Amino acid sequence: WGLLTRAGAIRTDGRRGTTVAPPRPGPTRYRRALPVSPAFELDLSTGVPDPELLPDLVPSLAQLPRAWHAGSYLDAPVLPDLAEALRADWPYPPPALAVVDGALDGVDLVASALVRYGDRVVVEHPSFPPLLDLLDALGARVVGVPVDDDGLLPDALAAALEARTRAVFLQPRAHNPTGVALTAARAERLAAVVAATEAMVVEDDSAGAISAEAAVSLGSWLPERTVHVRSFSKSHGPDLRVAGVSAPGDLLERVNERRRLG
């Protein structure tokens, strides 16, 4: 029974019994959004940056030494110079760093390492549709917590965390779809709420350097319970598929080990 439950084949519900679990859905929300072609002169819904506004990377690439080599599959997951640059611009001193293939890839890898079938997770309401698809695919039980102009509502989050929760997923700035940015004062209150529980925090800073708001993270108060993902796709180019991730060392090592297998 334990194997069937962990595999997501059955679902147990206390005295109400055990039932065969329905098939896990695919990216249904994301698919519904793709075929929509709004008749707006300027469509910001996709989050794709205007190519004319992106920096020219040719000069930087031209500075690479001709003797550059690709290294090894076993090299450290972050080049030392890149790690130094990330640390200098991170919203808190990161316990450990990795580089992944975009923000959603980072969230996916972390969620896969953290969340098991049937685990309860908290998200912002409303939330980013692909994140909800991802959590559905993992078999998580998703609970939405409302946001206002400063981010997640602390009292509503506290009420949601009264039940055992594996993780809290949030977007600290340029929240999709509302555009809200988390304030430092609100982040401190949320960190105090999460500190009284066992939940992890997973932050998706997908806008990164193009955001007009300062970078804020619950990691300033909960560094050993916070995962912070920052994308460089919107600031440097979607085709780069680059994001930095900070997390507790043991969790990030699990993520790196999984990436080595893939």
Side-chain angles (χ1 to χ4, degrees):
W1 291 108
L3 287 172
L4 289 171
T5 301
R6 287 193 292 275
I10 62 174
R11 179 174 295 166
T12 58
D13 193 14
R15 294 183 179 180
R16 285 181 285 274
T18 298
T19 57
V20 176
R24 298 186 189 185
T28 54
R29 300 175 185 85
Y30 192 50
R31 285 200 191 105
R32 284 200 299 268
L34 286 177
V36 177
S37 299
F40 299 129
E41 182 176 347
L42 180 61
D43 178 15
L44 301 177
S45 66
T46 62
V48 178
D50 184 341
E52 296 298 321
L53 299 177
L54 292 173
D56 182 4
L57 299 181
V58 172
S60 297
L61 295 175
Q63 293 178 27
L64 289 174
R66 293 182 181 275
W68 180 84
H69 61 91
S72 160
Y73 294 119
L74 304 179
D75 285 348
V78 189
L79 293 171
D81 288 350
L82 179 55
E84 183 179 351
L86 290 174
R87 289 179 184 277
D89 194 42
W90 219 247
Y92 66 99
L97 287 166
V99 172
V100 296
D101 303 315
L104 204 55
D105 178 53
V107 174
D108 180 24
L109 288 164
V110 169
S112 298
L114 278 177
V115 180
R116 295 291 175 264
Y117 193 90
D119 279 352
R120 195 171 182 274
V121 299
V122 164
V123 300
E124 295 154 319
H125 179 61
S127 189
F128 185 43
L131 171 63
L132 300 177
D133 287 337
L134 189 160
L135 294 172
D136 280 350
L138 292 173
R141 292 182 293 145
V142 178
V143 177
V145 170
V147 298
D148 64 9
D149 289 344
D150 295 331
L152 275 173
L153 297 176
D155 291 342
L157 178 62
L161 294 182
E162 288 180 358
R164 186 175 183 180
T165 301
R166 190 71 186 100
V168 177
F169 292 83
L170 59 88
Q171 300 169 77
R173 52 183 176 175
H175 174 265
N176 187 337
T178 68
V180 163
L182 183 65
T183 64
R186 178 62 57 84
E188 184 175 10
R189 290 185 62 191
L190 296 176
V193 170
V194 175
T197 73
E198 298 178 356
M200 290 287 295
V201 176
V202 182
E203 299 173 337
D204 175 12
D205 184 17
S206 60
I210 70 166
S211 175
E213 302 294 336
V216 173
S217 171
L218 272 67
S220 297
W221 299 272
L222 294 174
E224 295 301 327
R225 300 263 297 281
T226 300
V227 176
H228 189 79
V229 182
R230 177 181 293 179
S231 172
F232 294 91
S233 295
K234 292 178 176 59
S235 57
H236 292 69
D239 53 334
L240 290 178
R241 286 289 187 225
V242 172
V245 181
S246 67
D250 57 341
L251 174 59
L252 209 53
E253 182 57 29
R254 284 154 55 195
V255 168
N256 288 327
E257 289 292 343
R258 181 64 186 85
R259 293 191 79 230
R260 291 187 187 105
L261 292 175

